[in-house]
Amino acid sequence: MYKLYWSAGSAAMAPQAIILESGAKAEFIHLDDGKREQKSPEYLKLNPHGRIPTLVFDEGQVMYESAAICQFLTERHPELTLAPAVGSPDRARYLQWMAYLTNTVQEAIMHWWHGENFVDGAAEQAKVKAKAEERLAKMWTFLDNEIATKGPHLCGAPFYACDYFLVMLVRWSRKMAKPGHQYPHLNALIRETLQRPAYAQMLKLQGIEQAV
Ligand SMILES: N[C@@H](CCC(=O)N[C@@H](CS)C(=O)NCC(=O)O)C(=O)O
């Protein structure tokens, strides 16, 4: 039994898709981030950073950080083959992508959305945003080229959790001048992911759409 704390379009997207794909018993607990419910005293007991998502499993064990949750879920559900097994040839590349996506791409997106976390003042924040967008354009180009040359997924033929994670991150770029989904190979990956019943169900549950 899982409990996943989520809000619409948040970093809970990929973990929720994996839980749905597993068919495991789960309770999805909605937090209204407009009301800053992730900063409530009760939630802070689970996740002291007040960020979404948080996963509760095995009757009271708690973890946060979406990339780690995805990784954990793939290990709990090896039958999904959403991660290459330890020791298998794809493993290094898969781990590389999970780390790169969360510590580089996700972080740059955070700079774009939340300049206020990095500098004070509207003018300075606009510069942070512009620089983040410039960096992200290079990342989308790089990722698009990786998929073009070694795809159709990040690790080649198999679809892994890193692909779910990438598709989630691309959605977060939808308001940028050139969003990730406008890159042709990323676009093809999104279209394919939208065909996965678990991802489509997650979008429906969260009441959101994904641009293609
Ligand atoms: N690195 C964290 C980031 C989570 C995160 O930033 N969540 C957002 C919603 S997408 C949030 O709760 N932000 C509130 C805050 O940072 O105060 C993860 O991937 O789980």
Side-chain angles (χ1 to χ4, degrees):
M1 170 75 177
Y2 296 118
K3 275 190 196 173
L4 181 77
Y5 291 80
W6 67 281
S7 67
S10 71
M13 290 174 65
Q16 191 172 31
I18 297 174
I19 292 174
L20 289 166
E21 191 160 324
S22 78
K25 207 166 160 205
E27 185 184 350
F28 297 125
I29 300 161
H30 181 248
L31 296 173
D32 186 338
D33 53 10
K35 294 185 183 155
R36 307 297 285 160
E37 284 180 352
Q38 70 268 48
K39 305 296 178 192
S40 73
E42 305 80 65
Y43 187 71
L44 288 174
K45 283 184 201 151
L46 296 173
N47 183 331
H49 307 291
R51 299 177 108 185
I52 302 165
T54 298
L55 180 73
V56 181
F57 59 98
D58 291 352
E59 295 170 21
Q61 294 224 60
V62 182
M63 76 180 292
Y64 48 85
E65 285 301 326
S66 55
I69 294 172
C70 289
Q71 180 56 26
F72 175 73
L73 290 168
T74 67
E75 289 168 11
R76 298 263 287 202
H77 300 282
E79 72 283 0
L80 300 177
T81 61
L82 281 173
V86 174
S88 69
D90 282 350
R91 184 76 180 178
R93 194 167 160 83
Y94 165 80
L95 292 174
Q96 164 202 290
W97 288 128
M98 288 303 278
Y100 173 75
L101 291 174
T102 191
N103 74 18
T104 303
V105 184
Q106 186 175 2
E107 197 49 27
I109 296 173
M110 288 299 122
H111 278 72
W112 192 90
W113 282 96
H114 293 293
E116 74 280 8
N117 289 340
F118 301 95
V119 284
D120 292 325
E124 295 307 311
Q125 286 164 19
K127 285 188 204 163
V128 166
K129 194 167 179 153
K131 182 55 77 179
E133 192 151 351
E134 194 183 305
R135 293 182 62 224
L136 280 159
K138 289 183 189 146
M139 293 176 205
W140 301 136
T141 302
F142 164 73
L143 287 162
D144 195 63
N145 187 53
E146 283 289 305
I147 291 175
T149 52
K150 300 170 195 150
H153 311 114
L154 283 170
C155 293
F159 182 99
Y160 290 137
C162 53
D163 298 297
Y164 267 147
F165 207 86
L166 173 56
V167 171
M168 173 178 82
L169 296 183
V170 167
R171 185 177 182 275
W172 298 353
S173 72
R174 66 197 180 280
K175 296 195 174 159
M176 296 178 191
K178 186 170 178 192
H181 67 263
Q182 288 184 9
Y183 293 75
H185 303 282
L186 292 176
N187 185 280
L189 176 65
I190 296 164
R191 286 178 189 276
E192 183 196 326
T193 305
L194 289 171
Q195 298 304 313
R196 293 179 79 91
Y199 195 82
Q201 196 185 348
M202 176 279 295
L203 291 177
K204 198 169 169 200
L205 278 173
Q206 296 204 4
I208 57 175
E209 291 182 350
Q210 178 130 13
V212 283

